[in-house]
Amino acid sequence: MFKHIAPYAGDPILTLNESFGRDPRAHKINLSIGIYFDDAGRLPVMAAVREAETAMLQNIAARPYQPMEGAANYRAAAQHLLFGAQHEAVTSGRIATVQTIGGSGALKVGGDFLQRFFPASQVWVSDPTWDNHRAMFEGAGFAVQTYPYYDAATGGLKFSEMLAAFGALPEQSIVLLHACCHNPTGVDLSAAQWAELIPVIRARRLIPYVDIAYQGFGDGIDEDACALRALADAGITFFCASSFSKSFSLYGERCGALSVVCPDAAQAELVLGQLRATVRKNYSSPPTHGGQIVARVLQTPALRAQWAAELGAMRQRIHTMRSRLHAVLSAKLPGRNVDHFLTQRGMFSYTGLTPAQADRLREAHAVYVLRSGRMCVAGLNSSNVEATAVAMAAVLAAQA
Ligand code: LMR
């Protein structure tokens, strides 16, 4: 019955992470998947999360089905973190937010909603983007195209080409944007560049779909949300998929949200209704536990402050690793500009390694980066950063 089914070729991120798990070499280093590890190479349980969860376990509550849109306290907490509790879009009730199964679940629910109500639109993603974006939007029934973004020559942004491309898109094109900590390149728009892009989005009547999976890992919790707030300030109607996987180190709990910023509260109510319908058709309603941990942390002032401090330390540790990597690489590769490791933001950097060089790094040195050249800087630590830099320098020098 199933003989005609093609074998699954695997996923460029998840399958590589599985291969890492099977690699018997003791000195192996995992810089493949977007997961934050601490300086001891462990996946952390944040103290604020532990405290909130411990308190929840003191008073184990009954677990009815959640509403299709998820828990009200979680939805409010997510909205406040993204936009600021006092933002006019929040206080006027013009944002429809649903709790989703991770940021991926948000992308999918929003994708299905858009396919239903804007079936003639196409989706435009940055070149490059997170490997799964294309698959998710194609899975929702859209044709997916790319717009210019990463400049391999400089390790920076092709901003003027991007701006020109946006200016030429058909009306109601869906443009997938990363709010901060661009995955996979680490190259973000500055606040000034967002200020230039937003009028083009408005003039072309585009539909921004902003992915924010790394809030707090770039420049700060509020700083990383500046693009969302600028879009909302400008009165743009847009979609936002957000995730607490990384910022709460709660990957497997699948805590995400989809927020649709609408022109007014009446339209937000209509959108919320159809998002509820979309969720019901997909998986009926989201799970309880992880979302309640997040809501408790964000809505308890002492826990929230503790969480923000912990996240700040994670962000700082990534900056330190960037500097140490940069120091060794610039010493070992004189004449080669490696400053992009310092300027890129968040968990990822585009190393400039070719697929063949990434293979060599893995096979000869047991250092795992994606074949696209993406490295997860958050997998570096005091014990492996030197070895990683030395191995990368050797591979880059050999095939230069
Ligand atoms: C990544 O980009 O590595 C993470 O977002 C994990 C994933 O699901 O791909």
Side-chain angles (χ1 to χ4, degrees), residues 35-38 41-54 245-251 253 293 297 306-307 310-311 314:
I35 290 183
Y36 177 91
F37 294 98
D38 66 16
R42 284 182 308 240
L43 186 63
V45 178
M46 295 173 83
V49 165
R50 186 185 295 280
E51 199 171 322
E53 193 165 10
T54 304
S245 294
K246 339 275 176 177
S247 56
F248 278 73
S249 196
L250 278 176
Y251 304 84
E253 294 290 350
I293 298 173
V297 169
Q306 187 177 5
W307 165 76
E310 288 181 85
L311 182 53
M314 290 156 86

Side-chain angles (χ1 to χ4, degrees), residues 13-14 32-34 130 183 214 246 348 374:
I13 299 174
L14 302 184
S32 63
I33 195 164
W130 179 48
N183 181 2
Y214 298 89
K246 339 275 176 177
F348 303 118
R374 187 192 85 172

Side-chain angles (χ1 to χ4, degrees), residues 329-338:
L329 283 177
S330 40
K332 295 235 168 247
L333 298 169
R336 190 182 178 110
N337 187 346
V338 288

Side-chain angles (χ1 to χ4, degrees), residues 110-111 113-125 137 142-143 145 165-176 200-209 236-239 263 267:
F113 174 97
L114 282 163
Q115 175 57 224
R116 174 141 182 242
F117 295 104
F118 300 88
S121 295
Q122 295 196 345
V123 175
W124 296 76
V125 300
F137 285 100
F142 286 106
Q145 320 278 1
F166 274 45
L169 290 180
E171 288 194 356
Q172 294 197 331
S173 292
I174 298 159
V175 284
L176 197 290
V200 179
I201 290 173
R202 184 209 306 282
R204 295 302 310 144
R205 296 164 52 86
L206 305 179
I207 306 174
Y209 199 142
I236 307 275
T237 298
F238 69 101
F239 289 65
Q267 289 184 58

